[in-house]
């Protein structure tokens, strides 16, 4: 889900990821390596399990050159809160592609959930 109407592939040529945001944000070597490669947008995973929005705000505060795409625990109840943060460029989520619905071939329900997700972000 992008924060705006941009195409994901057109916007992101590469999106570096990490298991613990503190590794990237607190270790100058990781952060510097990313910046030296021109990577200024990173994936924050698992967002909710790592402290959610409050942790993300705290970790981003001293690093104005880094933008984030949170994933992991993003859902209909919190996606708009994440996207409201200025340096959150997009969010990843899987709630709209439930494994059981896929296995059962419930394509109409998957389409409905996906439309609902897009409408939620676009509102």
């Amino acid at each position: 889900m992008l924060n705006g109407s941009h195409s994901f592939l057109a916007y992101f040529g590469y999106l570096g990821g990490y298991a613990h945001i503190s590794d990237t944000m607190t270790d100058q070597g990781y952060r510097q390596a990313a910046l030296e490669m021109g990577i200024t947008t990173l994936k924050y995973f698992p967002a909710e399990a790592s402290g959610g929005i409050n942790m993300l705000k705290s970790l981003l505060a001293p690093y104005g050159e880094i933008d984030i795409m949170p994933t992991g625990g993003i859902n209909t109840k919190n996606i708009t809160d994440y996207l409201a943060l200025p340096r959150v460029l997009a969010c990843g989520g899987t709630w709209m592609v439930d494994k059981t619905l896929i296995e059962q071939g419930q394509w109409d329900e998957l389409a409905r959930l996906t439309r609902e997700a897009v409408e939620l972000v676009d509102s």
Side-chain angles (χ1 to χ4, degrees):
M1 298 290 125
L2 284 178
N3 190 1
S5 60
H6 305 287
S7 163
F8 183 87
L9 293 176
Y11 193 82
F12 297 108
Y14 172 79
L15 190 61
Y18 44 89
H20 301 286
I21 192 170
S22 60
D23 291 345
T24 302
M25 302 306 272
T26 60
D27 185 314
Q28 185 172 355
Y30 286 151
R31 189 176 75 258
Q32 190 61 36
L35 293 172
E36 285 176 8
M37 289 186 285
I39 300 168
T40 58
T41 302
L42 299 171
K43 179 179 169 182
Y44 174 34
F45 174 85
E48 283 295 291
S50 298
I53 292 171
N54 288 332
M55 179 61 83
L56 182 57
K57 286 179 183 179
S58 296
L59 291 169
L60 282 175
Y63 304 110
E65 70 275 20
I66 295 175
D67 293 316
I68 294 292
M69 184 183 106
T71 67
I74 308 300
N75 58 53
T76 58
K77 293 182 177 90
N78 61 18
I79 191 168
T80 56
D81 294 332
Y82 276 99
L83 290 174
L85 299 176
R87 292 178 28 223
V88 169
L89 301 179
C91 287
T94 58
W95 74 90
M96 76 292 286
V97 286
D98 181 89
K99 181 180 177 181
T100 303
L101 295 175
I102 293 170
E103 289 170 351
Q104 295 174 354
Q106 294 186 25
W107 311 121
D108 289 342
E109 180 62 10
L110 288 164
R112 185 192 68 75
L113 290 170
T114 301
R115 280 191 304 276
E116 182 181 87
V118 170
E119 289 169 5
L120 180 64
V121 171
D122 284 344
S123 63

